[in-house]
Amino acid sequence: MADIEKLVEQLSELSVLEAAELTKALEEKWGVSAAAPVAVAAGAVGGAADGAGEPEEEKTEFDVVIKDAGPKKIEVIKAIRQLTSLGLKEAKDLAETPDAKVLEGVGKEAAGDAKAKLEAAGASVELA
């Protein structure tokens, strides 16, 4: 049997990209999906109520929230101005405010695009 502590130590040294590749390789080899237990559990909850409960609706509107502007604040301000119609001062104030909402009630695709642009500029972003 494999030395569990040694295996844990080796896995801890993986980068995020390597961990994602490992997950994909294991899913293919074992014929499973890492997301399957969540879907099964959600289905079981709905089935336990014998259809009497309302199925959970998928979230369609998101808020794009900046957690931290990061070291490249100027790049983040530029990204905020591209995404919104804010002026320079308002965009700067938004970038400097923790948990500031850049966009509110936008679709999944628009929120994902905004998050990608802000993260590329160096910000730490969350979709709420």
Side-chain angles (χ1 to χ4, degrees):
M1 188 139 183
D3 181 14
I4 301 298
E5 289 298 318
K6 185 177 178 182
L7 187 57
V8 167
E9 190 62 37
Q10 289 174 338
L11 291 175
S12 297
E13 294 173 5
L14 294 178
S15 70
V16 174
L17 184 57
E18 291 169 331
E21 289 174 6
L22 174 63
T23 302
K24 185 175 180 179
L26 291 174
E27 287 175 343
E28 289 174 7
K29 177 149 178 92
W30 295 336
V32 297
S33 172
V38 174
V40 170
V45 170
D50 294 325
E54 291 283 324
E56 263 191 60
E57 291 184 31
E58 186 176 334
K59 190 171 181 178
T60 58
E61 291 188 354
F62 297 87
D63 294 340
V64 180
V65 180
I66 291 184
K67 291 298 189 182
D68 180 40
K72 301 179 188 175
K73 196 182 307 181
I74 293 173
E75 296 300 318
V76 174
I77 292 169
K78 287 179 182 179
I80 291 171
R81 292 193 67 204
Q82 287 177 349
L83 295 168
T84 65
S85 60
L86 295 176
L88 181 59
K89 180 174 180 355
E90 292 84 4
K92 180 182 178 286
D93 291 344
L94 196 63
E96 293 176 342
T97 305
D99 296 330
K101 291 181 183 178
V102 177
L103 298 172
E104 293 184 42
V106 296
K108 186 175 185 176
E109 188 175 317
D113 290 344
K115 181 179 180 189
K117 286 180 183 177
L118 289 166
E119 286 180 339
S124 168
V125 182
E126 174 180 278
L127 297 181

